[in-house]
Amino acid sequence: MLKVENLSFSYDGKNKILNKVSLDLNPGEILGLMAPSGYGKSTLGKLMAGYIKAQRGSVRVDGQDINDLRGFLPVQMVHQAPEKNVNIRWKVDKILNEGWNVDRDIKEKFGIEDSFLNKFPTELSGGELQRICLARVLANKTKYLIADEVTTMLDSISQAQICHLLLHFAKKHQIGILFISHNKALVDAIADRVIDLKEINQI
């Protein structure tokens, strides 16, 4: 379980963005997290992925404090703008295999064609690049994924494809997914349960 307990965070040390936030994400579950822009959804995602450290409270990954983990982190995160997830000076083959070798089965599931591998990210569509970003983090050791508005910049067809892939990996590979979005219809369609950050954030 990815467990958040009484998490509080402020960028300036004064004005809290998050205050005493608690939630659980179970293996194989898609948990929808909703709130309007500016309510701290992305900040919470970064805290849960270990990108930043909270002033108070804890994030525990299967019982271990996320700040005590070393080496490969079983919590991965993908953002809404795929070009910000990659080095645009690298070709796709290098991007995919930066941390580990992405096997052919995952490439096929994400529709990553061999012709993509020798291209730069700017030569791909937003949907193609987002599938590459997801494929490269869904390794065998990944247990939890923070998906932060990963479909926001995409057309409706690409949105449906991404959601289908997330459902597949959540249910077949028991990966817990925090699906962050402000799109209620999309969250209702994909999530096993939904949390409104405004209701659990004690600001």
Side-chain angles (χ1 to χ4, degrees), residues 45-64:
K46 290 175 183 177
L47 287 160
M48 292 176 68
Y51 283 20
I52 52 179
K53 186 175 180 179
Q55 285 89 7
R56 291 186 179 180
S58 65
V59 177
R60 303 188 72 83
V61 185
D62 299 332
Q64 289 186 279

PDB file of all heavy atoms in Angstrom, residues 45-64:
ATOM      1  N   GLY A  45       1.035  14.767  -5.703  1.00  0.00           N
ATOM      2  CA  GLY A  45       1.620  13.712  -6.528  1.00  0.00           C
ATOM      3  C   GLY A  45       3.130  13.669  -6.404  1.00  0.00           C
ATOM      4  O   GLY A  45       3.731  12.588  -6.286  1.00  0.00           O
ATOM      5  N   LYS A  46       3.776  14.829  -6.420  1.00  0.00           N
ATOM      6  CA  LYS A  46       5.233  14.889  -6.295  1.00  0.00           C
ATOM      7  C   LYS A  46       5.704  14.403  -4.932  1.00  0.00           C
ATOM      8  O   LYS A  46       6.741  13.742  -4.817  1.00  0.00           O
ATOM      9  CB  LYS A  46       5.716  16.320  -6.545  1.00  0.00           C
ATOM     10  CG  LYS A  46       5.576  16.776  -7.981  1.00  0.00           C
ATOM     11  CD  LYS A  46       5.953  18.244  -8.147  1.00  0.00           C
ATOM     12  CE  LYS A  46       5.746  18.712  -9.580  1.00  0.00           C
ATOM     13  NZ  LYS A  46       6.046  20.157  -9.724  1.00  0.00           N
ATOM     14  N   LEU A  47       4.947  14.711  -3.901  1.00  0.00           N
ATOM     15  CA  LEU A  47       5.275  14.225  -2.560  1.00  0.00           C
ATOM     16  C   LEU A  47       5.154  12.701  -2.497  1.00  0.00           C
ATOM     17  O   LEU A  47       6.013  12.025  -1.924  1.00  0.00           O
ATOM     18  CB  LEU A  47       4.343  14.866  -1.533  1.00  0.00           C
ATOM     19  CG  LEU A  47       4.604  16.343  -1.223  1.00  0.00           C
ATOM     20  CD1 LEU A  47       3.367  16.983  -0.612  1.00  0.00           C
ATOM     21  CD2 LEU A  47       5.802  16.493  -0.299  1.00  0.00           C
ATOM     22  N   MET A  48       4.104  12.170  -3.104  1.00  0.00           N
ATOM     23  CA  MET A  48       3.889  10.722  -3.081  1.00  0.00           C
ATOM     24  C   MET A  48       4.920   9.973  -3.915  1.00  0.00           C
ATOM     25  O   MET A  48       5.193   8.800  -3.661  1.00  0.00           O
ATOM     26  CB  MET A  48       2.475  10.411  -3.571  1.00  0.00           C
ATOM     27  CG  MET A  48       1.389  10.877  -2.616  1.00  0.00           C
ATOM     28  SD  MET A  48      -0.293  10.620  -3.253  1.00  0.00           S
ATOM     29  CE  MET A  48      -0.394   8.816  -3.225  1.00  0.00           C
ATOM     30  N   ALA A  49       5.493  10.654  -4.917  1.00  0.00           N
ATOM     31  CA  ALA A  49       6.519  10.034  -5.760  1.00  0.00           C
ATOM     32  C   ALA A  49       7.936  10.273  -5.237  1.00  0.00           C
ATOM     33  O   ALA A  49       8.903   9.810  -5.837  1.00  0.00           O
ATOM     34  CB  ALA A  49       6.400  10.560  -7.191  1.00  0.00           C
ATOM     35  N   GLY A  50       8.046  11.024  -4.146  1.00  0.00           N
ATOM     36  CA  GLY A  50       9.360  11.271  -3.568  1.00  0.00           C
ATOM     37  C   GLY A  50      10.146  12.369  -4.238  1.00  0.00           C
ATOM     38  O   GLY A  50      11.343  12.531  -3.982  1.00  0.00           O
ATOM     39  N   TYR A  51       9.504  13.161  -5.088  1.00  0.00           N
ATOM     40  CA  TYR A  51      10.191  14.258  -5.766  1.00  0.00           C
ATOM     41  C   TYR A  51      10.525  15.390  -4.793  1.00  0.00           C
ATOM     42  O   TYR A  51      11.543  16.054  -4.921  1.00  0.00           O
ATOM     43  CB  TYR A  51       9.325  14.825  -6.896  1.00  0.00           C
ATOM     44  CG  TYR A  51       9.267  14.007  -8.154  1.00  0.00           C
ATOM     45  CD1 TYR A  51       9.592  12.653  -8.155  1.00  0.00           C
ATOM     46  CD2 TYR A  51       8.858  14.567  -9.349  1.00  0.00           C
ATOM     47  CE1 TYR A  51       9.530  11.897  -9.312  1.00  0.00           C
ATOM     48  CE2 TYR A  51       8.783  13.824 -10.527  1.00  0.00           C
ATOM     49  CZ  TYR A  51       9.118  12.485 -10.487  1.00  0.00           C
ATOM     50  OH  TYR A  51       9.054  11.744 -11.636  1.00  0.00           O
ATOM     51  N   ILE A  52       9.610  15.638  -3.864  1.00  0.00           N
ATOM     52  CA  ILE A  52       9.818  16.656  -2.841  1.00  0.00           C
ATOM     53  C   ILE A  52       9.461  16.049  -1.488  1.00  0.00           C
ATOM     54  O   ILE A  52       8.777  15.020  -1.414  1.00  0.00           O
ATOM     55  CB  ILE A  52       8.987  17.936  -3.099  1.00  0.00           C
ATOM     56  CG1 ILE A  52       7.504  17.595  -3.324  1.00  0.00           C
ATOM     57  CG2 ILE A  52       9.535  18.708  -4.281  1.00  0.00           C
ATOM     58  CD1 ILE A  52       6.616  18.806  -3.551  1.00  0.00           C
ATOM     59  N   LYS A  53       9.924  16.685  -0.425  1.00  0.00           N
ATOM     60  CA  LYS A  53       9.734  16.155   0.919  1.00  0.00           C
ATOM     61  C   LYS A  53       8.806  17.059   1.718  1.00  0.00           C
ATOM     62  O   LYS A  53       8.955  18.278   1.706  1.00  0.00           O
ATOM     63  CB  LYS A  53      11.092  16.038   1.626  1.00  0.00           C
ATOM     64  CG  LYS A  53      11.038  15.355   2.979  1.00  0.00           C
ATOM     65  CD  LYS A  53      12.438  15.191   3.542  1.00  0.00           C
ATOM     66  CE  LYS A  53      12.401  14.506   4.904  1.00  0.00           C
ATOM     67  NZ  LYS A  53      13.770  14.307   5.461  1.00  0.00           N
ATOM     68  N   ALA A  54       7.870  16.446   2.423  1.00  0.00           N
ATOM     69  CA  ALA A  54       6.910  17.199   3.217  1.00  0.00           C
ATOM     70  C   ALA A  54       7.544  17.717   4.498  1.00  0.00           C
ATOM     71  O   ALA A  54       8.474  17.110   5.033  1.00  0.00           O
ATOM     72  CB  ALA A  54       5.709  16.318   3.555  1.00  0.00           C
ATOM     73  N   GLN A  55       7.011  18.839   4.986  1.00  0.00           N
ATOM     74  CA  GLN A  55       7.484  19.358   6.270  1.00  0.00           C
ATOM     75  C   GLN A  55       6.951  18.516   7.430  1.00  0.00           C
ATOM     76  O   GLN A  55       7.633  18.336   8.435  1.00  0.00           O
ATOM     77  CB  GLN A  55       7.044  20.818   6.458  1.00  0.00           C
ATOM     78  CG  GLN A  55       7.830  21.818   5.634  1.00  0.00           C
ATOM     79  CD  GLN A  55       7.233  22.057   4.255  1.00  0.00           C
ATOM     80  OE1 GLN A  55       6.150  21.575   3.951  1.00  0.00           O
ATOM     81  NE2 GLN A  55       7.941  22.790   3.412  1.00  0.00           N
ATOM     82  N   ARG A  56       5.744  18.007   7.262  1.00  0.00           N
ATOM     83  CA  ARG A  56       5.147  17.165   8.301  1.00  0.00           C
ATOM     84  C   ARG A  56       4.385  16.018   7.654  1.00  0.00           C
ATOM     85  O   ARG A  56       3.920  16.128   6.536  1.00  0.00           O
ATOM     86  CB  ARG A  56       4.191  17.983   9.183  1.00  0.00           C
ATOM     87  CG  ARG A  56       4.887  19.013  10.065  1.00  0.00           C
ATOM     88  CD  ARG A  56       3.908  19.686  11.004  1.00  0.00           C
ATOM     89  NE  ARG A  56       4.576  20.655  11.868  1.00  0.00           N
ATOM     90  CZ  ARG A  56       3.960  21.382  12.780  1.00  0.00           C
ATOM     91  NH1 ARG A  56       2.646  21.264  12.942  1.00  0.00           N
ATOM     92  NH2 ARG A  56       4.637  22.239  13.526  1.00  0.00           N
ATOM     93  N   GLY A  57       4.240  14.946   8.416  1.00  0.00           N
ATOM     94  CA  GLY A  57       3.537  13.783   7.908  1.00  0.00           C
ATOM     95  C   GLY A  57       4.474  12.833   7.194  1.00  0.00           C
ATOM     96  O   GLY A  57       5.690  13.038   7.176  1.00  0.00           O
ATOM     97  N   SER A  58       3.902  11.797   6.600  1.00  0.00           N
ATOM     98  CA  SER A  58       4.743  10.775   5.971  1.00  0.00           C
ATOM     99  C   SER A  58       4.087  10.182   4.732  1.00  0.00           C
ATOM    100  O   SER A  58       2.864  10.207   4.579  1.00  0.00           O
ATOM    101  CB  SER A  58       5.044   9.649   6.965  1.00  0.00           C
ATOM    102  OG  SER A  58       3.843   8.961   7.317  1.00  0.00           O
ATOM    103  N   VAL A  59       4.948   9.658   3.857  1.00  0.00           N
ATOM    104  CA  VAL A  59       4.531   8.831   2.727  1.00  0.00           C
ATOM    105  C   VAL A  59       5.235   7.496   2.904  1.00  0.00           C
ATOM    106  O   VAL A  59       6.463   7.437   2.957  1.00  0.00           O
ATOM    107  CB  VAL A  59       4.921   9.463   1.376  1.00  0.00           C
ATOM    108  CG1 VAL A  59       4.531   8.531   0.224  1.00  0.00           C
ATOM    109  CG2 VAL A  59       4.268  10.824   1.201  1.00  0.00           C
ATOM    110  N   ARG A  60       4.451   6.427   3.011  1.00  0.00           N
ATOM    111  CA  ARG A  60       5.032   5.104   3.236  1.00  0.00           C
ATOM    112  C   ARG A  60       4.692   4.185   2.071  1.00  0.00           C
ATOM    113  O   ARG A  60       3.546   4.133   1.616  1.00  0.00           O
ATOM    114  CB  ARG A  60       4.535   4.501   4.549  1.00  0.00           C
ATOM    115  CG  ARG A  60       4.827   5.398   5.760  1.00  0.00           C
ATOM    116  CD  ARG A  60       4.521   4.724   7.085  1.00  0.00           C
ATOM    117  NE  ARG A  60       5.497   3.684   7.391  1.00  0.00           N
ATOM    118  CZ  ARG A  60       6.687   3.941   7.949  1.00  0.00           C
ATOM    119  NH1 ARG A  60       7.045   5.198   8.233  1.00  0.00           N
ATOM    120  NH2 ARG A  60       7.511   2.962   8.208  1.00  0.00           N
ATOM    121  N   VAL A  61       5.714   3.482   1.586  1.00  0.00           N
ATOM    122  CA  VAL A  61       5.569   2.545   0.469  1.00  0.00           C
ATOM    123  C   VAL A  61       5.700   1.139   1.019  1.00  0.00           C
ATOM    124  O   VAL A  61       6.788   0.717   1.420  1.00  0.00           O
ATOM    125  CB  VAL A  61       6.646   2.793  -0.609  1.00  0.00           C
ATOM    126  CG1 VAL A  61       6.399   1.879  -1.811  1.00  0.00           C
ATOM    127  CG2 VAL A  61       6.661   4.250  -1.031  1.00  0.00           C
ATOM    128  N   ASP A  62       4.577   0.437   1.082  1.00  0.00           N
ATOM    129  CA  ASP A  62       4.560  -0.914   1.651  1.00  0.00           C
ATOM    130  C   ASP A  62       5.253  -0.945   3.009  1.00  0.00           C
ATOM    131  O   ASP A  62       6.073  -1.817   3.308  1.00  0.00           O
ATOM    132  CB  ASP A  62       5.212  -1.909   0.685  1.00  0.00           C
ATOM    133  CG  ASP A  62       4.477  -1.985  -0.648  1.00  0.00           C
ATOM    134  OD1 ASP A  62       3.256  -1.722  -0.663  1.00  0.00           O
ATOM    135  OD2 ASP A  62       5.119  -2.274  -1.670  1.00  0.00           O
ATOM    136  N   GLY A  63       4.929   0.047   3.832  1.00  0.00           N
ATOM    137  CA  GLY A  63       5.429   0.094   5.196  1.00  0.00           C
ATOM    138  C   GLY A  63       6.716   0.857   5.404  1.00  0.00           C
ATOM    139  O   GLY A  63       7.093   1.147   6.542  1.00  0.00           O
ATOM    140  N   GLN A  64       7.418   1.211   4.330  1.00  0.00           N
ATOM    141  CA  GLN A  64       8.683   1.929   4.452  1.00  0.00           C
ATOM    142  C   GLN A  64       8.513   3.401   4.112  1.00  0.00           C
ATOM    143  O   GLN A  64       7.824   3.743   3.145  1.00  0.00           O
ATOM    144  CB  GLN A  64       9.733   1.329   3.505  1.00  0.00           C
ATOM    145  CG  GLN A  64      10.240  -0.050   3.903  1.00  0.00           C
ATOM    146  CD  GLN A  64      11.370  -0.483   2.989  1.00  0.00           C
ATOM    147  OE1 GLN A  64      11.136  -0.963   1.869  1.00  0.00           O
ATOM    148  NE2 GLN A  64      12.598  -0.334   3.449  1.00  0.00           N
TER     149      GLN A  64
END
